[in-house]
């Protein structure tokens, strides 16, 4: 795979030096940890998995995509190299994965509620692992939560990794619809269903049609099955209100500069969160340090499509930060 790496220094050297020094001197705690914890986060028990052979290594917290998904199952495939560099933390968000099995959210989840959950999880980890700052990685939807922390609590982060992020979701969904219409122009069923899609989504079925043909284009034959439709519409009972909130996110208008290093991981073939939109946002964003890695063989799930290169990019970035202290 060929990386496109763009590293731009925008603020004085001493800012990077101070940040890197803080990472280099975390307070020591017990060496080996492989545990699952269920602290009270946002009024419910939420599951957090911590794995490390040395808890003095910097924390890397993953924010799963979805919403309503978990990255815990199969995480070894995209973290096996990272475990020698970081204290790895996976978190199942409210109404997702093992947290849902512990206790469903007593209220309808909202973006604001889950942003607050994210802040509480970070504060819990800082106390539990005795580290002042962490590395944070958002995947897809997870960037809604991650960029909230970047905007409001940059002092808590060594750096932020934005993997195929939500940037301007309404614009991205419109671009996706046009791509799918062109691709399926000779498919009568797809054309009829895609022509019924309106923005903002007027029904859960409207969102379903867009995802159905996106997944089918990506080779997922199950997307045309009744079982997939049933499962999607069940998911949408909880999450379509949240996604309608996400459709209003437009980072180029609301977040034009940040106060911590930010690195973008972009799948060249991603049409779910537009590569074009993400690259344009990266170019305009002001940050102390920033970088963009373009993954040539990836679509929307870089950590699954190119797990080795995904981890190499994270490790390379940390080395760059350390080298500039």
């Amino acid at each position: 795979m060929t990386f496109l790496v763009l590293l731009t220094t925008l603020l004085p050297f001493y800012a990077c030096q101070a940040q890197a020094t803080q990472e280099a001197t975390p307070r020591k705690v017990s060496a080996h940890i492989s545990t699952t914890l269920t602290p009270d986060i946002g009024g419910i028990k939420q599951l957090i998995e911590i794995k490390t052979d040395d808890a003095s290594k910097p924390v890397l917290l993953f924010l799963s995509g979805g919403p309503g998904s978990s990255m815990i199952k199969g995480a070894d495939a995209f973290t096996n190299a990272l475990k020698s560099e970081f204290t790895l933390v996976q978190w199942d968000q409210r109404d997702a994965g093992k947290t849902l099995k512990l206790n469903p959210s007593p209220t309808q989840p909202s973006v604001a509620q889950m942003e607050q959950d994210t802040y509480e999880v970070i504060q819990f980890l800082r106390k539990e692992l005795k580290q002042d700052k962490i590395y944070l990685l958002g995947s897809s939807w997870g960037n809604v939560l991650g960029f909230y922390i970047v905007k409001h609590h940059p002092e808590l982060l060594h750096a932020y990794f934005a993997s195929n992020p939500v940037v301007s979701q309404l614009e991205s969904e419109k671009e996706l619809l046009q791509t799918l219409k062109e691709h399926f122009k000779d498919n009568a069923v797809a054309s009829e269903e895609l022509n019924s899609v309106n923005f903002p989504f007027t029904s859960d079925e409207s969102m379903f049609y867009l995802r159905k043909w996106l997944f089918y284009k990506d080779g997922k034959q199950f997307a045309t099955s009744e079982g997939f439709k049933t499962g999607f519409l069940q998911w949408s009972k909880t999450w379509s209100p949240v996604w309608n909130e996400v459709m209003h996110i437009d980072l180029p208008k609301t977040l034009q500069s940040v106060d911590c290093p930010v690195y973008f991981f972009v799948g060249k073939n991603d049409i779910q969160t537009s590569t074009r939109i993400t690259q344009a946002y990266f170019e305009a964003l002001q940050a102390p340090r920033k970088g963009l890695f373009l993954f040539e063989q990836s679509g929307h799930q870089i950590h699954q499509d190119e797990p080795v290169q995904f981890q190499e990019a994270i490790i390379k970035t940390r080395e760059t930060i350390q080298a500039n202290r």
Side-chain angles (χ1 to χ4, degrees):
M1 192 209 70
T2 301
F3 283 144
L4 171 63
V5 185
L6 306 172
L7 296 175
T8 307
T9 303
L10 301 176
L11 289 183
F13 172 77
Y14 68 81
C16 296
Q17 182 182 36
Q19 181 275 327
T21 301
Q22 287 178 315
E23 180 200 332
T25 57
R27 290 169 289 181
K28 296 285 185 179
V29 292
S30 58
H32 179 80
I33 297 176
S34 181
T35 188
T36 298
L37 304 174
T38 56
D40 188 298
I41 302 292
I44 62 172
K45 297 295 182 183
Q46 300 205 32
L47 185 132
I48 296 173
E49 178 187 272
I50 304 173
K51 290 186 176 182
T52 184
D53 59 6
D54 182 352
S56 68
K57 292 177 179 177
V59 172
L60 173 58
L61 169 63
F62 290 85
L63 301 177
S64 296
S69 298
S70 169
M71 294 178 79
I72 289 180
K73 186 177 180 180
D76 287 347
F78 59 86
T79 60
N80 59 314
L82 295 175
K83 63 186 178 183
S84 64
E85 303 288 334
F86 296 94
T87 295
L88 300 174
V89 182
Q90 298 281 353
W91 162 44
D92 277 356
Q93 300 158 21
R94 68 172 60 232
D95 272 12
K98 296 179 181 179
T99 292
L100 175 59
K101 292 180 179 179
L102 281 173
N103 41 203
S105 177
T107 59
Q108 168 67 47
S110 68
V111 169
Q113 182 182 46
M114 298 180 74
E115 289 170 343
Q116 181 60 30
D117 285 353
T118 307
Y119 174 71
E120 291 185 28
V121 167
I122 292 173
Q123 294 292 52
F124 171 80
L125 292 173
R126 293 176 67 230
K127 182 177 180 180
E128 183 74 15
L129 296 169
K130 298 180 172 56
Q131 295 195 31
D132 291 333
K133 293 189 175 189
I134 71 167
Y135 287 89
L136 188 61
L137 185 147
S139 176
S140 187
W141 142 265
N143 288 278
V144 174
L145 309 178
F147 273 112
Y148 168 80
I149 299 298
V150 168
K151 181 176 182 178
H152 295 282
H153 304 286
E155 74 282 356
L156 302 181
L157 304 181
H158 293 302
Y160 181 64
F161 303 107
S163 183
N164 286 349
V166 170
V167 173
S168 301
Q169 196 55 33
L170 178 57
E171 183 181 356
S172 189
E173 299 276 6
K174 289 179 178 178
E175 187 174 297
L176 170 62
L177 179 59
Q178 292 308 310
T179 298
L180 294 176
K181 283 183 175 181
E182 176 62 24
H183 182 81
F184 290 109
K185 62 184 179 182
D186 296 325
N187 182 319
V189 174
S191 295
E192 180 180 1
E193 292 182 350
L194 291 169
N195 284 334
S196 72
V197 174
N198 294 299
F199 300 109
F201 291 123
T202 54
S203 68
D204 290 350
E205 286 78 8
S206 187
M207 192 193 327
F208 165 71
Y209 290 142
L210 200 56
R211 293 301 182 265
K212 170 186 174 178
W213 294 108
L214 167 65
F215 294 166
Y216 189 76
K217 180 181 182 298
D218 285 345
K220 299 176 174 66
Q221 301 295 320
F222 65 79
T224 58
S225 69
E226 282 301 313
F228 176 70
K229 182 176 183 179
T230 299
F232 185 93
L233 295 179
Q234 184 65 36
W235 169 90
S236 66
K237 289 179 181 178
T238 297
W239 295 112
S240 62
V242 174
W243 198 250
N244 284 330
E245 288 188 74
V246 171
M247 294 281 282
H248 294 288
I249 290 175
D250 193 356
L251 295 182
K253 292 181 179 178
T254 62
L255 189 61
Q256 298 170 349
S257 65
V258 298
D259 293 326
C260 68
V262 177
Y263 299 86
F264 289 77
F265 294 174
V266 182
K268 183 178 180 180
N269 305 310
D270 184 16
I271 61 172
Q272 188 169 342
T273 52
S274 167
T275 297
R276 178 190 65 81
I277 292 172
T278 302
Q279 288 179 310
Y281 179 55
F282 166 79
E283 293 291 345
L285 183 66
Q286 298 182 26
R289 293 186 66 85
K290 65 178 184 177
L292 186 146
F293 294 79
L294 183 65
F295 293 79
E296 298 280 351
Q297 306 303 318
S298 289
H300 190 61
Q301 302 292 336
I302 295 170
H303 63 286
Q304 295 176 359
D305 295 338
E306 298 183 75
V308 173
Q309 295 87 346
F310 172 79
Q311 295 175 85
E312 287 176 349
I314 294 171
I315 293 169
K316 180 181 180 67
T317 299
R318 186 192 169 209
E319 290 173 349
T320 299
I321 291 173
Q322 288 181 306
N324 284 279
R325 65 173 182 256

